[in-house]
Amino acid sequence: MKNKLSLLALALFISAGVAHAATPFENMMSSSFEAKGQAGLDRLVQDPAQKFCSNPANLDGGGDLKVRERIQSENMASIKQPSDGKYIGNWKNGEKIAQSGRGATWSDKAGSEIGGGCYNCHQIDPKEISYGNIGPSLTGYGKMRGYSKEVVVYTWNRINNSKAYNVCSNMPRFAHAKLLNEQQIQDVMALLLDPASPVNQ
């Protein structure tokens, strides 16, 4: 029975493009999850950034600096700037996305819209009374940093793929993971950088 389980786990990982003998951890993961809703088994396959940061020795700036920098450079190279050249969308739509915690879970229907859930980790509107604090407060984001091209591009890159700056960042890679599309990211950008947004009042 044990051999059958090991062979099954190996077959699953080979079919996902990972051709190596399954570890006990991989066996446990493959037998504990099933594809449902918007959550697929592809999430069990780690990319280099995830593998690097799964090693506790690499957290808090530890580990091989060259490997860290290489992975960050690869993530930076994967970022696409807006196809229409416009970074700023509609802040009202961006606010809805930032406040939506739905999407990308097993209970969400495939094809339904994914929200940003930004409030889970950040304070956004200064009037909010409930928000997460894993990430820094975004209140006054544009007002404090200014609206220069450098700030705009940095913000775009950070939302698209935060691991380009910190390989072990807790922030989701919204474009890389296809959590938000280009228009949605433009709208979240507006929430942060439009002077009329409540973030900047």
Side-chain angles (χ1 to χ4, degrees), residues 11-50:
L12 282 171
F13 277 87
I14 289 175
S15 66
V18 182
H20 67 270
T23 65
F25 175 75
E26 289 170 340
N27 286 339
M28 181 271 296
M29 292 293 285
S30 65
S31 64
S32 298
F33 292 92
E34 63 181 39
K36 189 174 181 182
Q38 292 183 3
L41 291 178
D42 58 306
R43 297 185 185 187
L44 301 182
V45 182
Q46 292 187 317
D47 69 12
Q50 293 165 325

Side-chain angles (χ1 to χ4, degrees), residues 5-6 10 22 24 26 32 77 87 94 104 109 120 125 138 150-151 170 191:
L5 286 174
S6 295
L10 178 58
E26 289 170 340
S32 298
Y87 288 87
K109 292 180 181 178
N120 287 318
D125 188 323
L138 300 177
E150 291 77 14
V151 168
N170 289 320
L191 179 65

Side-chain angles (χ1 to χ4, degrees), residues 163-183:
K163 292 186 183 297
Y165 295 96
N166 174 7
V167 67
C168 295
S169 171
N170 289 320
M171 185 170 171
R173 295 178 281 181
F174 286 102
H176 178 87
K178 296 180 173 61
L179 297 173
L180 298 179
N181 62 35
E182 183 177 86
Q183 182 61 63

Side-chain angles (χ1 to χ4, degrees), residues 4-193:
K4 287 182 180 178
L5 286 174
S6 295
L7 288 172
L8 175 61
L10 178 58
L12 282 171
F13 277 87
I14 289 175
S15 66
V18 182
H20 67 270
T23 65
F25 175 75
E26 289 170 340
N27 286 339
M28 181 271 296
M29 292 293 285
S30 65
S31 64
S32 298
F33 292 92
E34 63 181 39
K36 189 174 181 182
Q38 292 183 3
L41 291 178
D42 58 306
R43 297 185 185 187
L44 301 182
V45 182
Q46 292 187 317
D47 69 12
Q50 293 165 325
K51 287 180 182 177
F52 181 83
C53 297
S54 291
N55 183 344
N58 295 331
L59 301 178
D60 298 321
D64 189 320
L65 182 60
K66 289 184 179 178
V67 173
R68 176 182 296 275
E69 290 176 346
R70 175 179 55 77
I71 296 172
Q72 288 175 180
S73 294
E74 289 169 356
N75 279 269
M76 181 65 80
S78 75
I79 298 172
K80 295 178 181 177
Q81 301 307 304
S83 59
D84 59 3
K86 297 177 182 177
Y87 288 87
I88 308 298
N90 183 309
W91 72 259
K92 291 182 180 178
N93 292 338
E95 187 172 44
K96 291 175 186 174
I97 294 165
Q99 296 297 336
S100 173
R102 297 300 310 167
T105 71
W106 64 270
S107 62
D108 293 300
K109 292 180 181 178
S112 61
E113 193 170 84
I114 298 175
C118 308
Y119 74 94
N120 287 318
C121 299
H122 303 278
Q123 180 184 20
I124 303 171
D125 188 323
K127 294 177 183 176
E128 289 174 338
I129 58 172
S130 179
Y131 50 84
N133 58 10
I134 293 173
S137 172
L138 300 177
T139 298
Y141 186 90
K143 194 174 183 180
M144 291 188 335
R145 293 165 177 79
Y147 307 97
S148 68
K149 180 73 172 180
E150 291 77 14
V151 168
V152 170
V153 172
Y154 167 80
T155 306
W156 176 267
N157 291 349
R158 194 83 194 204
I159 293 171
N160 272 258
N161 190 337
S162 60
K163 292 186 183 297
Y165 295 96
N166 174 7
V167 67
C168 295
S169 171
N170 289 320
M171 185 170 171
R173 295 178 281 181
F174 286 102
H176 178 87
K178 296 180 173 61
L179 297 173
L180 298 179
N181 62 35
E182 183 177 86
Q183 182 61 63
Q184 289 174 310
I185 293 174
Q186 288 168 323
D187 291 341
V188 172
M189 288 282 291
L191 179 65
L192 296 176
L193 291 167

